[in-house]
Amino acid sequence: MEKTEKVQCLILGSGPAGYTAAIYAGRANITPVLYEGIQPGGQLTTTTDIENFPGYPSGISGTQMMEDFREQAVRFGADIRSGLATKADLSASPFKITIDNEKVIEAQTLIIATGATAKYLGLPDEQKYAGMGVSACATCDGFFYRKKKVAVVGGGDTACEEALYLAGLASKVYLIVRKPFLRASQIMRDRVMAHPNIEILFEHNAVGLFGDNGVEGAHIVKRMGEADEERYDIAIDGFFLAIGHKPNSDIFKDYLELDETGYIKTIGQSPFTKIPGVFAAGDVADTIYRQAITAAASGCKAAIEVERYLAECEYKECKKQ
Ligand code: NDP
């Protein structure tokens, strides 16, 4: 295979944003090349069933849904490849993206749909019970815990939001906060504190999970490392992480504007970055909604803008590239 390849449209990421961009760009005869990244199918492949994506009245597994997206993109000519973008040079068009530290793609347009990765505590039990009671998305998985007991880890706005969402479904929500206070905004703090179904465990850390068929409880520690440290167990059916997300934007940080967490800043609600021809879609640029349907919609917008950009290029110099 050639070490350098020129393409009209390069899409990075294989979640709903990347695949939707590929479907639209494919149907526009642009023949996009899509690299799947480190987790083919993206974050949805780590959840159980998706029940809030319109068109699936009985729900669908995240993995199946992403396979369907992929198949649809292939049907319209998308060239889908495995590989991870390891370096980017967006200083001039065509944009140079290095894949797996070896091959360089020169792209006339680029859609960054590399997503975000939920942070986990790093406990081996989080892996052991993945998809069996451990989740990093209350909106995705909360429904499975109706009238059950759950714990949410974190003390920021996301944790409070997730706890409040879950409190409307579950019979009890423990909010496990490592500090003696919530970092969340005042309004969220007030709501969480006032909710009868939520018990806040300040100065607590979760250190393990247990259960024979999925999560049945968590081992927690109060005032860990202090002289008066206490260790005990709580019975729960679901364990939700809400300790932040990390957008997968590191390789673009020298070229694009990122916020303090690393989310790519786009212009308004559009997929435009500050570089013409470079677009961002999905969770890598979404600090608010982070849903499959909103990611898909932004992938669609990005592909439409790619089509417009390339059409304009017909009359300008980019054609010479
Ligand atoms: P934050 O970084 O604000 O909060 C993360 C929370 O997780 C903190 O309480 C932090 O604890 C805790 N935490 C981090 N690592 C660990 C760990 N290893 N063990 C235990 N606890 C841990 O992230 P969010 O996702 O909550 O919010 C990100 C940004 O998005 C914020 O600016 C927030 O305001 C915003 N946001 C706004 C919303 C809205 O306006 N509706 C909704 C959701 C988010 P500690 O405090 O000790 O560091």
Side-chain angles (χ1 to χ4, degrees), residues 121 153-159 161 178-179 183 205 242-244 290:
L121 295 171
V153 183
D157 279 316
T158 302
E161 235 177 40
R178 67 180 173 183
K179 291 220 172 106
R183 174 205 284 231
N205 281 276
I243 59 172
R290 301 184 193 128

Side-chain angles (χ1 to χ4, degrees), residues 234-270:
I234 51 171
I236 50 166
D237 307 286
F239 184 74
F240 287 82
L241 283 310
I243 59 172
H245 281 77
K246 189 176 174 335
N248 303 317
S249 60
D250 280 358
I251 61 169
F252 309 108
K253 66 177 186 303
D254 293 338
Y255 304 97
L256 299 177
E257 257 188 275
L258 309 182
D259 76 3
E260 60 284 357
T261 314
Y263 287 97
I264 295 173
K265 286 191 186 178
T266 53
I267 298 164
Q269 297 292 312
S270 78

